[in-house]
């Protein structure tokens, strides 16, 4: 297999397709490869090295060695800061190329990748670079003539398994706090989007991370992913993806008592009251569901609209949705690209069919766009009832369910009637109402008069089946540290 492959289109350079193990790019032990597909054209972009248990074993051993005895284990925290900042600088220097590669592999609109995903990737690395030398323990007053203090030590080897919807952003959310804390990493990117993580691996090597600190093994979930979860030298699994996969991971991780953090799905309620700034709420509803082709775990897929403004709200929203530009994700005017692959496309079209069958009204969309690439028209269903499949299940596509409500109590109760609890939003000019509802919504993030506002410093994660633990912010450092208590007798 060739080390590098000529890209088919906009990206001008060759790109990496091998595995990164112990500081070197190598073929998989089996020599197997798998194709990665451009979802806009359905063409194969490249054959990528397919890792499995044997490669995970090598990567885990390299990460273990780097953690236990490599230069990384002795490095001053402030030098970790320098390395993480250097990686952030290199990403920024290559921001256009990285954005194009992300678009090629994932299909998201270039404007979003370039102006949304990538700047946050850089910001997340810089934010955590600043934390590396600020991870403190405490001194603790105890009984007797003893001196007790705590240390927050790096957890060890972190196995990180990520999805395809925000490939580079997920790398940043996973790597940055782990590196700041002093962990070493084995990353398993999603099989649909293997390319940008490898490019970030190249940049990490250029930045000067010691061998074995960052390892990347592409491959499939049931093979590479499952062996990472089972590996005895791996201390922790950080996973973002589907709830059902998380349950499999949790069962397997129990054998070695691995620490786990999960960021999973959602069916997030977006609640619009009649006293809201309607124009702003329309834009928020649109962003909330259609960002990233609806492939967001926190998508505002249940839109609750108060009766008095319901009809005008739906009309205004539909007008904006119909004006959305779908098509070539490399066109800077494109607002919506294709879904990631045929599986997702079929799944979403299945939900659209169910919505129609179960009596919801298609306001706009409800069908595929064009006949090539996995494009689906942005779809609005109105007259949605709480027990319909489109109101209950995470669709992970550009499909909005609009639900009419009358009263505050009713909105809160119905919004909370879900097993998910990732995010929610409230739109109203009444600030007391907004806060009191925010406190009662069972979700890890509540946006008031906004949607999808993320920040490197603001924790994110789920209540209920939407996850375990939090990413981003100071909180994420807990995911990558162990607390040690040291007591000294002063007698
Ligand atoms: P999605 O619907 O986003 O693809 P998945 O949970 O299937 O959600 O995939 C997210 C990530 O989990 C991917 O990197 C995938 O390869 C990985 N994965 C899937 N199945 C398993 C498994 N059994 N063990 C470990 N990782 C898995």
């Amino acid at each position: 297999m060739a080390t590098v492959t000529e890209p088919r289109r906009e990206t001008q350079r060759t790109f990496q397709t091998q595995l990164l193990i112990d500081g070197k790019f190598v073929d998989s032990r089996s020599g197997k490869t798998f194709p990665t597909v451009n979802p806009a054209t359905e063409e194969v972009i490249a054959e990528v090295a397919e890792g499995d248990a044997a490669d995970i074993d090598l990567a885990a051993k390299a990460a273990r060695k780097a953690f236990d005895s490599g230069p990384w284990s002795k490095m001053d925290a402030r030098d970790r800061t320098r390395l993480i900042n250097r990686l952030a600088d290199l990403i920024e220097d290559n921001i256009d190329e990285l954005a194009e590669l992300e678009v090629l592999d994932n299909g998201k609109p270039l404007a979003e990748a370039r102006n949304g995903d990538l700047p946050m990737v850089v910001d997340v690395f810089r934010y955590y670079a600043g934390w590396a030398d600020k991870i403190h323990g405490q001194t603790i007053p105890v009984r007797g003539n003893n001196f007790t203090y705590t240390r927050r030590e790096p957890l060890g080897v972190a196995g990180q398994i990520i999805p395809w919807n925000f490939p580079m952003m997920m790398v940043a959310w996973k790597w940055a706090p782990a590196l700041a804390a002093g962990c070493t990493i084995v990353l398993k990117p999603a099989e649909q989007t293997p390319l940008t993580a490898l490019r970030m691996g190249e940049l990490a090597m250029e930045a000067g991370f010691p061998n074995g600190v960052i390892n990347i093994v592409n491959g499939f979930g049931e093979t590479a992913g499952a062996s990472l979860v089972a590996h005895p030298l791996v201390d922790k699994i950080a996973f973002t993806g589907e709830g059902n996969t998380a349950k499999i991971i949790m069962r397997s991780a129990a054998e070695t008592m691995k620490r786990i953090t999960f960021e999973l799905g959602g069916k997030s309620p977006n609640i619009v009251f009649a006293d809201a700034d309607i124009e702003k709420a329309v834009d928020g509803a649109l962003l909330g569901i259609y960002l990233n082709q609806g492939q967001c775990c926190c998508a505002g897929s249940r839109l609750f609209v108060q009766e008095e403004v319901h009809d005008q709200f739906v009309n205004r929203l539909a007008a904006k949705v119909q004006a959305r530009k779908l098509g070539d994700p490399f066109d800077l005017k494109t607002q919506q690209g294709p879904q990631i692959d045929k599986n997702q496309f079929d799944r979403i079209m299945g939900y659209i069919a169910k919505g129609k069958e179960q009596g919801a009204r298609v306001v706009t969309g409800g069908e595929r766009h064009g006949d090539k690439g996995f494009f689906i028209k942005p779809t609005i269903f109105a007259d949605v009832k709480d027990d319909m499949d489109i109101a209950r299940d995470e669709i992970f596509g550009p499909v909005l369910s609009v639900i009419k409500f009358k009263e505050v109590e009713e909105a809160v109760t119905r919004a909370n009637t879900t097993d998910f609890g990732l995010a929610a939003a409230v739109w109203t000019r009444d600030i007391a109402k907004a806060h009191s509802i925010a406190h009662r919504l069972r979700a890890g993030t509540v946006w008031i008069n906004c949607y999808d506002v993320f920040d490197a410093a603001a924790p994110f994660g789920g209540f209920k089946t939407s996850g375990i633990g939090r990413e981003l912010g100071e909180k994420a450092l807990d995911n990558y540290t162990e607390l040690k208590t040291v007591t000294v007798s002063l007698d």
Side-chain angles (χ1 to χ4, degrees):
M1 194 192 80
T3 304
V4 288
T5 310
E6 279 297 326
R8 294 261 167 111
R9 47 182 305 178
E10 281 74 1
T11 41
Q12 291 306 303
R13 58 181 294 284
T14 55
F15 48 82
Q16 183 58 250
T17 57
Q18 293 182 299
L19 312 176
L20 175 58
I21 298 178
D22 206 11
K24 287 172 218 55
F25 283 94
V26 293
D27 288 339
S28 60
R29 299 293 294 173
S30 68
K32 280 205 232 163
T33 63
F34 67 99
T36 184
V37 170
N38 175 344
T41 62
E42 303 181 42
E43 284 169 16
V44 173
I45 305 165
E47 287 288 330
V48 177
E50 180 187 331
D52 58 24
D55 310 284
I56 288 288
D57 185 50
L58 291 175
K61 283 177 177 149
R64 188 81 250 165
K65 189 161 133 252
F67 183 80
D68 289 341
S69 54
W72 184 248
S73 63
K74 298 172 201 75
M75 191 180 285
D76 286 337
R78 218 157 292 158
D79 292 326
R80 291 205 304 273
T81 295
R82 228 160 31 88
L83 280 178
I84 300 168
N85 270 329
R86 204 179 289 158
L87 176 56
D89 291 345
L90 285 169
I91 294 169
E92 198 166 54
D93 292 347
N94 292 280
I95 200 161
D96 290 319
E97 176 224 320
L98 281 162
E100 287 183 3
L101 193 55
E102 191 84 314
V103 172
L104 190 68
D105 215 11
N106 167 282
K108 65 178 67 200
L110 182 57
E112 269 176 30
R114 174 64 184 77
N115 305 324
D117 298 32
L118 260 299
M120 188 172 189
V121 167
V122 174
D123 204 41
V124 167
F125 279 110
R126 295 217 170 108
Y127 170 78
Y128 282 105
W131 268 115
D133 63 349
K134 298 169 192 71
I135 303 175
H136 300 159
Q138 293 175 309
T139 59
I140 303 190
V142 293
R143 285 187 193 277
N145 197 20
N146 297 312
F147 168 49
T148 294
Y149 62 94
T150 56
R151 287 164 50 77
R152 292 177 72 196
E153 299 183 357
L155 185 60
V157 177
Q160 304 182 323
I161 302 177
I162 57 173
W164 43 261
N165 56 343
F166 292 94
M168 263 185 292
M169 193 117 85
M170 289 298 104
V171 173
W173 289 25
K174 297 285 183 284
W175 284 6
L179 295 170
C183 289
T184 59
I185 291 167
V186 179
L187 175 79
K188 211 297 279 173
E191 51 270 37
Q192 295 87 343
T193 51
L195 296 178
T196 43
L198 292 174
R199 180 66 186 123
M200 285 176 72
E202 286 184 333
L203 295 176
M205 294 301 99
E206 195 179 330
F209 282 93
N211 291 350
V213 172
I214 295 174
N215 304 275
I216 305 172
V217 180
N218 276 307
F220 293 91
E222 298 74 15
T223 49
S227 2
L228 182 57
V229 177
H231 205 289
L233 296 182
V234 175
D235 298 294
K236 183 223 158 60
I237 293 291
F239 168 77
T240 300
E242 263 184 54
N244 286 334
T245 314
K247 287 181 192 169
I248 297 171
I249 291 176
M250 207 164 177
R251 281 188 208 106
S252 164
E255 286 305 313
T256 43
M257 205 55 81
K258 282 186 179 58
R259 281 78 183 114
I260 46 169
T261 40
F262 290 155
E263 203 263 274
L264 311 172
K267 190 76 188 176
S268 298
N270 189 6
I271 309 171
V272 180
F273 286 95
D275 61 0
D277 175 337
I278 296 296
E279 207 49 48
K280 206 172 156 201
V282 166
D283 289 339
L286 192 139
L287 176 78
I289 182 64
Y290 299 116
L291 177 74
N292 208 37
Q293 294 66 247
Q295 302 168 145
C296 296
C297 44
C298 57
S301 49
R302 286 186 297 152
L303 179 67
F304 290 90
V305 184
Q306 202 163 21
E307 202 172 45
E308 299 91 295
V309 293
H310 176 275
D311 293 353
Q312 58 143 313
F313 194 94
V314 171
N315 289 341
R316 284 207 220 181
L317 184 62
K320 290 206 168 178
V321 168
Q322 280 153 6
R324 260 171 97 71
K325 189 166 167 358
L326 267 72
D328 179 4
F330 281 98
D331 181 340
L332 280 170
K333 289 194 219 73
T334 293
Q335 293 165 306
Q336 188 176 313
Q339 308 310 126
I340 189 72
D341 63 12
K342 178 87 170 57
N343 276 347
Q344 289 294 324
F345 176 89
D346 290 343
R347 210 175 146 268
I348 297 163
M349 292 307 291
Y351 273 109
I352 291 176
K354 273 195 212 168
K356 291 175 183 168
E357 272 160 40
Q358 293 175 3
R361 173 167 57 93
V362 178
V363 177
T364 186
E367 55 194 9
R368 80 175 293 175
H369 167 85
D371 51 13
K372 191 152 172 250
F374 309 116
F375 293 90
I376 297 178
K377 287 188 183 163
T379 298
I380 301 177
F381 277 108
D383 305 337
V384 176
K385 303 280 170 292
D386 294 343
D387 59 354
M388 291 179 182
D389 289 313
I390 56 166
R392 295 161 60 103
D393 296 354
E394 182 176 43
I395 299 175
F396 226 63
V399 181
L400 178 66
S401 296
V402 186
I403 301 167
K404 203 187 281 183
F405 76 94
K406 287 194 173 103
E407 303 290 335
V408 170
E409 282 308 309
E410 177 202 347
V412 173
T413 306
R414 292 172 74 186
N416 280 336
T417 308
T418 169
D419 291 335
F420 294 115
L422 191 57
V426 185
W427 301 81
T428 171
R429 287 194 174 95
D430 179 339
I431 205 69
K433 180 162 79 180
H435 283 284
S436 95
I437 292 173
H439 295 187
R440 294 171 61 201
L441 288 168
R442 303 265 299 142
T445 290
V446 180
W447 288 294
I448 297 176
N449 296 333
C450 58
Y451 210 97
D452 278 338
V453 177
F454 283 92
D455 192 278
F460 180 77
F463 281 31
K464 300 195 269 183
T465 65
S466 286
I468 296 179
R470 294 291 177 270
E471 298 195 280
L472 301 180
E474 181 179 1
K475 192 72 193 143
L477 296 168
D478 292 345
N479 304 342
Y480 295 101
T481 47
E482 282 280 19
L483 193 70
K484 179 178 284 176
T485 305
V486 180
T487 296
V488 191
S489 164
L490 299 180
D491 287 331

